[in-house]
């Protein structure tokens, strides 16, 4: 029964003076990039192992967070190749990368990036031999380059955005993404 403004303030999508927060713009905004210039992912697929003059595919992924993350998931899934092994008694399919790992890493890059003072996007460069995900801002708070991904060492640059992504079903719980991605990569 509360007014919309009160509801938006309660979930930290709006300040007391009725200005939207960055999380509010990213989650509820029709065109978040109009207000947060770096709020997109630049995806580039290269046909070799280095950045060159040939690009196999490129996309700019943007929009409200739910659309944004769904489109990101679709692009990741479309670029994973499945190799089939018919040598044994049972067919075995082997993906080049586990989708769970790339989803976790890409979502973390979007949720935990620095949105202030930069118009740089999250970058996903996909090569024949690797995938590189770059997120503006680097490690934050108690997380350092050395402690990145260790159990129990977490910090949240954008806790409201992370909570919104959790409520929408895109992340399971805080602090589990990198360990889950590493485990999936090791199994693969």
């Amino acid at each position: 029964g509360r007014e919309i403004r009160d509801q938006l303030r309660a979930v930290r999508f709006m300040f007391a003076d009725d200005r939207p927060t960055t999380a509010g713009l990213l989650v509820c905004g029709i065109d978040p990039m109009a207000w947060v210039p770096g709020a997109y992912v630049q995806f580039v697929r290269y046909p070799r192992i280095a950045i060159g003059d040939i690009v196999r595919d490129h996309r700019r992924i943007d929009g409200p967070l739910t659309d944004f993350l769904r489109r990101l998931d679709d692009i990741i899934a479309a670029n994973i190749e499945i190799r089939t092994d018919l040598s044994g008694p049972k067919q075995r399919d082997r993906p080049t990368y586990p989708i769970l790992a790339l989803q976790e890493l890409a979502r973390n890059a979007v949720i935990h990036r620095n949105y202030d003072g930069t118009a740089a996007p999250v970058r996903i460069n996909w090569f024949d031999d690797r995938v590189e995900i770059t997120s503006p801002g680097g490690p934050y708070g108690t997380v350092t380059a050395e402690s990145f991904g260790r159990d129990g060492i977490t910090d949240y640059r954008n806790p409201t955005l992370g909570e919104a992504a959790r409520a929408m079903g895109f992340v399971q719980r805080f602090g589990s993404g990198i360990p889950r991605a590493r485990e999936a990569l090791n199994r693969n």
Side-chain angles (χ1 to χ4, degrees):
R2 293 184 294 168
E3 290 187 28
I4 294 292
R5 284 187 170 115
D6 294 330
Q7 292 178 43
L8 291 171
R9 285 185 198 115
V11 294
R12 297 177 305 278
F13 287 174
M14 183 180 281
F15 293 111
D17 63 3
D18 291 345
R19 288 180 302 118
T21 64
T22 299
L25 289 167
L26 296 172
V27 174
C28 301
I30 294 170
D31 183 11
M33 276 188 51
W35 306 100
V36 186
Y40 69 102
V41 170
Q42 175 184 312
F43 173 88
V44 183
R45 179 77 192 254
Y46 295 97
R48 298 193 178 102
I49 61 170
I51 293 175
D53 57 349
I54 299 172
V55 171
R56 184 182 299 168
D57 189 17
H58 64 91
R59 307 285 170 104
R60 185 180 82 184
I61 308 156
D62 61 10
L65 191 65
T66 53
D67 298 342
F68 181 102
L69 293 176
R70 282 189 187 110
R71 288 180 49 221
L72 184 57
D73 286 353
D74 291 344
I75 288 171
I76 288 169
N79 280 277
I80 292 176
E81 297 170 6
I82 306 291
R83 295 188 175 108
T84 302
D85 179 1
L86 301 172
S87 63
K90 189 175 180 182
Q91 175 179 323
R92 292 178 50 191
D93 294 331
R94 298 235 180 232
T96 49
Y97 299 100
I99 193 165
L100 174 115
L102 293 184
Q103 285 175 332
E104 290 282 359
L105 296 170
R107 290 171 182 175
N108 270 346
V110 168
I111 293 166
H112 298 297
R113 64 159 290 167
N114 182 6
Y115 285 96
D116 296 325
T118 181
V122 168
R123 290 184 172 90
I124 300 177
N125 291 330
W126 196 304
F127 301 92
D128 282 351
D129 64 343
R130 69 192 182 284
V131 177
E132 295 177 355
I133 301 173
T134 307
S135 181
Y140 176 77
T142 60
V143 177
T144 64
E146 294 77 28
S147 68
F148 181 78
R150 282 197 203 148
D151 288 341
I153 299 178
T154 58
D155 214 330
Y156 311 107
R157 180 178 277 127
N158 304 306
T160 302
L161 190 59
E163 180 58 28
R166 188 201 60 76
M168 292 184 281
F170 288 104
V171 295
Q172 289 190 348
R173 65 181 171 87
F174 290 0
S176 67
I178 300 300
R180 286 171 22 107
R182 281 188 173 146
E183 182 183 326
L185 288 164
N186 286 334
R187 278 194 319 265
N188 197 57

